[in-house]
Each structure stands twice: as structure tokens, then as C-alpha cells.
Amino acid sequence: MAEKVKSQTTGLDTPRTARTRWLPRLSPNPDAFGHATENFARFMGTPQFLLYMTVFCAVWLIWNTWGPEPLRFDDIALGFTLLTLMLSLQASYAAPLLLLAQNRQDDRDRVSVRQDRERAERNLMDTEYLTREIAELRIALREVATRDYVRSELRSLLEELLEANHEASDDAPARRNQRRRADTSGSSAAPGTLPKLNPGGREN
């Protein structure tokens, strides 16, 4: 029974972390490594890199062609095999570095696009909110007296006051005449006497 359980636990059911590793796990800092590769890829795309590579290859070829034979390290008869291998090695490493830099740039572009989309959505929501607020203000302002309406009401009230004042000024002479007549009729009677009345109630 114990052998059966042991056979069952030594297969694919065993967690991977429990297995022994022959080589140590490499875990470099992805940010630092990516930053270094981006700097190298950016430097490879500059004219300085091309100039340095041209000068390096020219010096290599000149030294191994016209230099002292004991000091030559790349034979011209073999077609500069070592230089070819070095350039191939550089190209084999440059391509993954460029791909890594491009992947990081794509990730940054993706993040920036997502942030732009979120910002656009927030701006759209703010615009819709402001539009609703403006519509509510317009509806509320329909019930509020505007400046033109108040001016028109004040103008009509002023016109009514002017008309009433004009009518009062026109009626003033007639009222004065009535007062004068009343004063003259009152002054013609003797003070302290009352009018005589007939038995029928008529005045004498």
C-alpha cells in the first residue's frame, strides 16, 4: 500500500516547486534589464554607432592585411573568418535586444492608449454632466424674470404713472374752480345763520 502511494506521488502529481533544479533560477530585474536594452537599441540606431562600427571594421581589416604577420590574429587567406563571426554574433544578439525594446515600447503604447481611452471616457462623462446641468439651468431660468422682462414692466409702470400724473394735472384747474365756487357760495351767506326752510323742506 505504501509503495502504491509512493508511485502515485512521484509522477505528474508532484508540484514543480518540490522538484530539484540542476541549474539556479535566473531572475534579473526586468525593469533594469529592459532599460539597458532600450538604451543599447537606441544607441544602435544612431549615426555614432555606424561610424564606430565602420572605424572598427576598417582598423581590423587594415591591421590584418598590412600589419606585421606575427601580430595578425585574423588571416586574410581565410576571408577574415573571425570578423565575420563577431559580426554574426553581434547581429544575433542585436535582433533579440531590438525585439525586447520594441515589446517594451508596445507595452508603453498600450498603457498610454488605455489611459487616453479612460481620460476620454471621463471627459465624455464630464461633458454629459455639464450638458445636463446647463439644460436644467435653462429650464429653471424660464421661470425667472429676466432683465428685459423687468425693464419692460418698469417701462409700462412708468408710462402708467406719467399718464396718471398728466390726467391729474389736467383736472387740477377744474378742481380749483370747483373749490372757488364752493368758497364763494359759502362766503355769500352770513356767518352763523342757517338757511330758512319752508314747511315743505325747501330753502328760502
Side-chain angles (χ1 to χ4, degrees):
M1 185 67 182
E3 293 180 356
K4 186 176 181 181
V5 173
K6 184 178 180 180
S7 63
Q8 290 178 356
T9 57
T10 56
L12 296 176
D13 297 336
T14 305
R16 189 169 183 176
T17 56
R19 297 179 182 178
T20 59
R21 295 182 58 87
W22 296 100
L23 296 175
R25 184 185 297 274
L26 297 176
S27 58
N29 189 2
D31 293 332
F33 186 72
H35 186 67
T37 54
E38 285 182 349
N39 291 333
F40 183 73
R42 192 176 292 110
F43 175 71
M44 288 180 65
T46 58
Q48 290 83 1
F49 177 77
L50 297 177
L51 182 61
Y52 294 155
M53 284 297 299
T54 303
V55 171
F56 175 77
C57 293
V59 171
W60 185 290
L61 295 174
I62 291 171
W63 179 262
N64 291 292
T65 302
W66 292 289
E69 292 185 1
L71 299 178
R72 295 178 187 175
F73 50 87
D74 194 7
D75 193 3
I76 189 174
L78 299 177
F80 301 106
T81 307
L82 184 58
L83 179 62
T84 305
L85 291 175
M86 288 183 63
L87 294 177
S88 300
L89 182 65
Q90 179 191 359
S92 64
Y93 272 96
L97 291 176
L98 292 174
L99 289 175
L100 180 59
Q102 184 64 34
N103 291 333
R104 285 175 59 86
Q105 184 64 35
D106 292 339
D107 294 338
R108 282 197 298 269
D109 294 340
R110 192 178 300 108
V111 171
S112 63
V113 168
R114 185 173 66 252
Q115 291 177 354
D116 293 338
R117 187 183 299 110
E118 293 176 356
R119 191 179 299 109
E121 290 177 356
R122 288 196 299 270
N123 292 333
L124 180 60
M125 294 174 62
D126 294 340
T127 304
E128 291 178 353
Y129 173 75
L130 292 175
T131 304
R132 290 193 298 270
E133 291 295 325
I134 291 172
E136 291 178 359
L137 287 175
R138 287 182 177 176
I139 294 172
L141 286 175
R142 291 178 182 176
E143 301 177 357
V144 178
T146 59
R147 182 174 59 184
D148 296 334
Y149 176 76
V150 173
R151 284 182 178 178
S152 61
E153 292 295 325
L154 290 175
R155 190 179 296 109
S156 61
L157 182 61
L158 181 60
E159 290 177 355
E160 291 177 359
L161 290 174
L162 291 175
E163 290 178 357
N165 191 11
H166 184 67
E167 291 177 357
S169 62
D170 292 341
D171 294 339
R175 291 179 181 177
R176 291 195 192 97
N177 295 330
Q178 291 178 359
R179 289 177 183 177
R180 289 176 182 175
R181 291 175 184 174
D183 293 338
T184 54
S185 61
S187 61
S188 60
T193 59
L194 295 175
K196 293 181 181 181
L197 295 176
N198 291 327
R202 297 178 181 177
E203 295 182 358
N204 293 328

